[in-house]
Amino acid sequence: MQRHDLPVTRRGDLTDEQWERIYPYLPVGRKGRPFNNVRDTVNGILWILRTGSPWRDLPPVYGNWNTIYKCFARWEQTGVSESIFKILSEDADMQDVSIDSSCCKAHRHSAGAEKGGLIHSPANISE
């Protein structure tokens, strides 16, 4: 039995609250061809940014990859993406952000190790 009263969202897609916050800042209904679904377009852009996949690998549920890429490129060029980022970062919840050097892996030379590393010779090994 399926429940139809709960919205179905894909993992990683914008929640209703997030969507309501950014929608007023999107240039929807201006020049050019109208969007079929602006929310799917934004979610498609976020999918690409989150996964680092090539545009051609965008899942078809978000729409045509080329259309979404052109939208992304236009928003980048006109500064829409940057303005949305600035607006949303003003009241960002930094509770779960942690910068800790223990998660960084450094090369041994960065800790002052000598070139060539530790040399083991029979004379240096104690019995």
Side-chain angles (χ1 to χ4, degrees):
M1 183 171 163
Q2 240 182 0
R3 291 187 58 181
H4 295 285
D5 56 342
L6 296 175
V8 177
T9 58
R10 295 173 291 261
R11 192 174 102 199
D13 284 0
L14 293 171
T15 64
D16 289 339
E17 180 186 351
Q18 292 167 328
W19 176 245
E20 289 172 14
R21 288 182 66 197
I22 69 165
Y23 184 75
Y25 303 103
L26 296 174
V28 178
R30 298 192 184 148
K31 290 186 204 178
R33 193 172 174 175
F35 286 98
N36 288 336
N37 188 332
V38 183
R39 191 168 180 171
D40 280 345
T41 299
V42 173
N43 282 326
I45 291 170
L46 293 174
W47 187 90
I48 289 292
L49 296 175
R50 185 174 57 253
T51 63
S53 296
W55 283 98
R56 290 181 185 266
D57 292 345
L58 181 70
V61 296
Y62 295 112
N64 180 287
W65 71 268
N66 195 28
T67 303
I68 295 174
Y69 167 74
K70 287 178 183 178
C71 177
F72 170 74
R74 186 172 54 251
W75 287 355
E76 280 293 303
Q77 186 177 31
T78 59
V80 172
S81 301
E82 185 177 352
S83 64
I84 290 172
F85 174 77
K86 285 180 180 178
I87 290 164
L88 294 177
S89 65
E90 287 174 0
D91 62 339
D93 177 13
M94 303 299 278
Q95 176 182 347
D96 297 325
V97 175
S98 173
I99 299 174
D100 183 1
S101 64
S102 66
C103 66
C104 300
K105 182 177 180 181
H107 194 273
R108 66 178 180 228
H109 294 114
S110 65
E114 300 219 7
K115 189 173 181 180
L118 183 62
I119 299 174
H120 296 288
S121 66
N124 292 340
I125 300 174
S126 58
E127 294 180 40

